[in-house]
Amino acid sequence: YIPTDQPKRSTIPSRPDVKKIVNDYKSSKSAVTIDDAFEPRPLEIQKRLSEGKLDSGVTFSFLPKQTRGNVFHLQLTLDFGTPADFSTREAISAASLLGPCMMLGTEKYTREQIAQLQTKYKSQIQLSSEPGQLVVSLEGREEFLIETLDLLHEILRKPQFSEDEFSQLKSSQLSDLSQERNSPDMLAQLALGRALSPVEKSDHQYVPTFQEMFTELRKAKIESVKACYGLLSGSRGHVTVVGKFDKNKAMRKLNDILENWNPEAKFVRLENKSFPVKGETIEIKVRDQASAVYMRGANLKAHFKDEDFEALTIAADILGGGSLDSRLAQGVREEKGLSYQIGCQFQTAEFDAAGQFMLFAVMNPENKAALLSATNEVLTKVKSDGFTEEELRASIISYEKGIEAFLSEDASLCDLLQRYARRGVDLQFLADRIDRFRGLTVEQVNAAAQKLLSLEVVSVLAGDFPESTPPQK
């Protein structure tokens, strides 16, 4: 910095008259509008919902509404195959690769061209799959509705299954697996999943080890994926569209996509079962990791229509839901500083009476013994003393606000409508469920807590724990 006696001063121009500048401006695009009349309440949404069946047999739920940017969301689930079709590890692995492989190129477009067209049409298309199910998730703009659905048509009906692209996909997934193989979180999840699902390797609920996943992916063949694609049909499934779109145009394009697509293909849904397990503790040494993971899980025969579903949900929320006011967060994280994160959740399968109650915590490995002691202290106190009326009311209010926020966001609303339609229930079911939450008593929720905390538990610890720390029973 060299000072000067005659610095050059910046000239500040006079303030322009903005009104005169923009007076004659006309946008080439329509103004962005938000649907002020849309009320995120179950029965109000149900009134707006258009439901029916496409020509192919796939059912639909359409919810046209104003959105910011004229965006729409689409979810399409196609059911395919029978248990006999997924009775080997090769077939199960191929089913999980099917969705990603269909995005690798078509008869008309390469993988790069598919990506470019999505950018051009301001859309995002994702395909995922598992034995018996292909799921399409799509976000698009009303102005490109036809072009986006034409692109989806090409992806679904004319995949190329290039051997070179398949090899690149496998290499990418193998690389991702390699990065996860020393992750305490991933290792704990696998160990817990295997313990809670004690089935044969040929069962679709089997959880493979890391080494088995590597081996299966390396051995995967494009011919097996093609054979899996041959099981797909346009006659069984459900599609939901939410947002700014033309119903008639969407219906015509969806009919074009799904019509005459293997209509005679057989489908028998795979059943998810709940298994009795013996309590045990599994400790996994993961060297050179700064954080460790503690998980515990239990199976229970629970269905989403069970009478105590709401009580079980609230009991799990008070115990360790997302709030820092939960018992576990307060007793382990906030008061004693023993975890970076801790919580629990109760969930059920999509269709079957197969539920799980899970607890998870992330910690410094040095805190293992103290964290286990503090966690058991919280659980013991809940089991002996139960919850309070204040905790119950706060949890119910939080749940209702969460539902309202969920229904206000188009992507999550699309997901909910899709899941409800596939389960054969409407939004009257959700309205009734909210009423049941409001009517819960402390006695009901405490009984639900007793049920959850009396289950046979599998515990998993994964991390670089000090050698002097004995394994916990």
Side-chain angles (χ1 to χ4, degrees):
Y1 174 71
I2 302 175
T4 178
D5 294 330
Q6 296 179 332
K8 294 181 180 180
R9 305 288 185 183
S10 297
T11 302
I12 300 176
S14 59
R15 183 177 180 180
D17 188 336
V18 178
K19 288 185 178 181
K20 289 182 178 179
I21 294 174
V22 302
N23 186 50
D24 297 323
Y25 175 77
K26 293 183 179 180
S27 173
S28 59
K29 298 182 180 180
S30 59
V32 175
T33 57
I34 300 298
D35 197 341
D36 295 327
F38 182 78
E39 297 182 51
R41 298 205 302 267
L43 297 185
E44 293 301 317
I45 296 173
Q46 187 67 45
K47 291 177 184 177
R48 286 173 166 245
L49 202 58
S50 175
E51 299 174 291
K53 185 179 289 189
L54 299 173
D55 294 342
S56 68
V58 167
T59 52
F60 68 83
S61 301
F62 289 165
L63 183 65
K65 61 187 291 289
Q66 298 291 337
T67 60
R68 181 177 285 108
N70 295 332
V71 173
F72 69 88
H73 294 268
L74 178 149
Q75 274 201 36
L76 167 65
T77 303
L78 295 176
D79 299 310
F80 67 96
T82 69
D85 293 318
F86 307 110
S87 59
T88 66
R89 293 306 307 169
E90 183 180 358
I92 292 170
S93 178
S96 67
L97 289 168
L98 176 61
C101 282
M102 293 171 70
M103 292 294 296
L104 297 178
T106 70
E107 294 177 7
K108 192 174 181 179
Y109 303 119
T110 64
R111 174 171 56 85
E112 291 82 3
Q113 287 172 326
I114 291 175
Q116 290 167 0
L117 287 172
Q118 290 184 78
T119 301
K120 179 179 179 180
Y121 302 145
K122 301 179 181 179
S123 64
Q124 294 180 1
I125 302 174
Q126 294 181 329
L127 268 67
S128 60
S129 56
E130 61 184 37
Q133 195 174 98
L134 176 76
V135 179
V136 177
S137 298
L138 185 156
E139 178 182 318
R141 301 293 181 96
E142 180 194 29
E143 60 184 307
F144 297 115
L145 172 69
I146 300 301
E147 293 86 349
T148 301
L149 293 183
D150 280 340
L151 177 58
L152 179 61
H153 189 169
E154 180 77 13
I155 292 169
L156 289 178
R157 300 297 296 271
K158 299 178 182 179
Q160 185 67 25
F161 295 120
S162 161
E163 183 70 60
D164 290 341
E165 290 287 356
F166 183 60
S167 296
Q168 290 183 42
L169 174 67
K170 286 170 57 175
S171 296
S172 176
Q173 292 195 0
L174 286 168
S175 177
D176 291 342
L177 269 180
S178 296
Q179 294 179 15
E180 293 284 350
R181 89 179 302 161
N182 287 320
S183 162
D185 179 48
M186 181 60 73
L187 290 169
Q189 285 187 51
L190 287 179
L192 184 59
R194 289 174 58 80
L196 294 178
S197 186
V199 296
E200 299 293 329
K201 285 187 177 182
S202 58
D203 195 293
H204 75 282
Q205 287 185 257
Y206 177 77
V207 178
T209 64
F210 251 116
Q211 188 56 51
E212 287 171 339
M213 285 192 286
F214 272 105
T215 302
E216 288 179 9
L217 192 51
R218 287 194 186 102
K219 290 183 176 180
K221 298 177 181 179
I222 194 66
E223 289 76 18
S224 299
V225 179
K226 289 180 181 178
C228 190
Y229 177 78
L231 302 172
L232 279 175
S233 169
S235 60
R236 295 178 182 87
H238 188 84
V239 59
T240 300
V241 189
V242 174
K244 192 70 167 65
F245 68 101
D246 185 292
K247 288 195 301 183
N248 294 328
K249 290 181 180 179
M251 188 173 297
R252 283 197 299 271
K253 296 307 297 182
L254 289 169
N255 276 325
D256 290 342
I257 293 172
L258 301 173
E259 68 177 354
N260 300 320
W261 185 6
N262 203 9
E264 303 303 320
K266 295 181 180 179
F267 168 68
V268 178
R269 186 174 62 80
L270 294 169
E271 182 182 358
N272 287 302
K273 299 177 181 178
S274 179
F275 303 96
V277 295
K278 292 182 179 180
E280 62 174 321
T281 297
I282 303 167
E283 187 163 319
I284 305 169
K285 186 73 172 179
V286 190
R287 298 193 180 279
D288 303 322
Q289 295 293 320
S291 63
V293 171
Y294 170 50
M295 291 185 177
R296 55 187 282 166
N299 291 335
L300 68 159
K301 288 187 176 181
H303 192 271
F304 76 96
K305 287 185 177 180
D306 285 348
E307 290 184 0
D308 61 350
F309 178 91
E310 291 81 15
L312 290 167
T313 300
I314 291 297
D317 181 67
I318 299 174
L319 180 60
S323 169
L324 290 179
D325 291 331
S326 72
R327 288 291 186 93
L328 285 169
Q330 281 294 314
V332 179
R333 181 175 185 259
E334 297 301 301
E335 293 177 6
K336 299 181 180 180
L338 296 174
S339 70
Y340 306 124
Q341 179 185 8
I342 188 166
C344 66
Q345 64 178 10
F346 159 71
Q347 61 187 16
T348 61
E350 186 174 14
F351 299 107
D352 305 307
Q356 289 187 333
F357 176 58
M358 315 284 285
L359 184 150
F360 56 90
V362 182
M363 60 182 161
N364 184 321
E366 301 282 345
N367 291 336
K368 182 181 81 170
L371 180 136
L372 293 175
S373 177
T375 300
N376 288 331
E377 182 181 324
V378 170
L379 301 182
T380 300
K381 184 171 178 58
V382 169
K383 197 169 182 180
S384 62
D385 300 342
F387 301 123
T388 66
E389 182 72 31
E390 289 75 20
E391 287 176 312
L392 170 60
R393 292 304 136 200
S395 179
I396 293 172
I397 291 172
S398 175
Y399 179 85
E400 285 194 62
K401 288 182 178 178
I403 286 291
E404 183 175 343
F406 203 80
L407 298 179
S408 300
E409 210 280 316
D410 291 338
S412 57
L413 175 56
C414 184
D415 178 68
L416 182 140
L417 292 173
Q418 179 78 355
R419 287 188 287 112
Y420 268 42
R422 285 179 53 75
R423 289 179 172 186
V425 296
D426 59 17
L427 292 183
Q428 180 66 59
F429 178 84
L430 179 58
D432 293 340
R433 168 151 286 171
I434 293 172
D435 287 340
R436 289 193 293 272
F437 273 106
R438 291 169 178 164
L440 285 173
T441 65
V442 172
E443 291 74 20
Q444 289 173 310
V445 175
N446 284 338
Q450 292 289 335
K451 181 176 180 177
L452 293 175
L453 297 178
S454 299
L455 297 168
E456 200 73 26
V457 172
V458 175
S459 296
V460 179
L461 291 147
D464 194 359
F465 301 111
E467 299 294 340
S468 59
T469 306
Q472 298 294 308
K473 292 185 178 179

